[in-house]
């Protein structure tokens, strides 16, 4: 289900989030670089480099890499050594927090892309850093 275009930033291309994206209620995990989430932990590739021609990846570049379960966190850490030094942050979201697309990668079959609506002005306030023992494997 695709959301109304006015819910997402104006720079999102047509059909973004894609039709295969879905609403999600539950946990999201994101790797960050510090003990307390800050705005730059939640910059998309597009936000970091808005003048780049993202081509076929234009929609993906506007989303954020996340996983929905502890198994996904472990899978990504096992595959990407640099992630072992990062902190794991967690948020519990509901349908009005945007859409999720399953975007499996070579490093994780559980990888997702999260497209936030423009109403989410401070995503860093949704997330808290957790200990490994708090990971859920659902």
């Amino acid at each position: 289900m695709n959301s109304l275009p006015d819910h997402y930033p104006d720079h999102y291309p047509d059909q973004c989030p894609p039709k295969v994206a879905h609403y999600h209620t539950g946990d999201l995990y994101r790797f960050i670089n510090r003990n307390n989430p800050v705005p730059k932990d939640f910059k998309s590739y597009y936000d970091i480099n808005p003048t780049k021609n993202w081509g076929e990846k234009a929609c993906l570049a506007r989303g954020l890499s996340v996983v929905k379960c502890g198994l996904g966190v472990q899978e990504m850490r096992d595959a990407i050594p640099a992630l072992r030094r990062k902190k794991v942050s967690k948020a519990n979201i509901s349908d009005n927090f945007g859409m999720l697309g399953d975007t499996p990668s070579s490093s994780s079959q559980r990888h997702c892309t999260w497209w936030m609506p423009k109403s989410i002005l401070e995503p860093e306030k949704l997330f808290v850093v957790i200990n490994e023992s708090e990971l859920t494997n659902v």
Side-chain angles (χ1 to χ4, degrees):
M1 169 186 271
N2 203 350
S3 209
L4 297 174
D6 62 345
H7 289 160
Y8 291 91
D10 294 338
H11 61 77
Y12 274 38
D14 290 341
Q15 299 300 313
C16 186
K19 290 181 181 179
V20 295
H22 55 275
Y23 291 103
H24 175 74
T25 296
D27 294 334
L28 283 185
Y29 298 91
R30 179 157 169 84
F31 291 100
I32 63 172
N33 292 316
R34 55 202 50 79
N35 289 323
N36 295 305
V38 298
K40 71 183 195 176
D41 292 320
F42 297 88
K43 298 277 185 202
S44 68
Y45 287 119
Y46 174 84
D47 292 332
I48 294 166
N49 191 355
T51 59
K52 180 177 177 173
N53 178 357
W54 292 99
E56 291 181 13
K57 296 192 183 248
C59 185
L60 281 177
R62 282 150 173 90
L64 293 177
S65 291
V66 295
V67 291
K68 297 183 281 188
C69 65
L71 288 173
V73 170
Q74 287 307 125
E75 198 174 64
M76 290 187 73
R77 278 206 165 144
D78 290 346
I80 305 170
L83 293 181
R84 295 176 198 152
R85 294 186 301 273
K86 293 189 179 263
K87 306 291 184 189
V88 177
S89 64
K90 176 182 174 182
N92 189 278
I93 68 164
S94 60
D95 287 356
N96 58 334
F97 285 75
M99 298 186 86
L100 230 54
D102 295 324
T103 50
S105 68
S106 59
S107 59
S108 175
Q109 291 302 303
R110 292 172 180 84
H111 180 271
C112 296
T113 300
W114 177 35
W115 292 277
M116 288 182 288
K118 54 186 169 185
S119 62
I120 306 291
L121 301 175
E122 299 173 304
E124 69 278 7
K125 292 186 177 179
L126 300 173
F127 285 78
V128 294
V129 170
I130 63 167
N131 293 321
E132 297 293 318
S133 62
E134 298 175 66
L135 291 173
T136 59
N137 290 325
V138 181

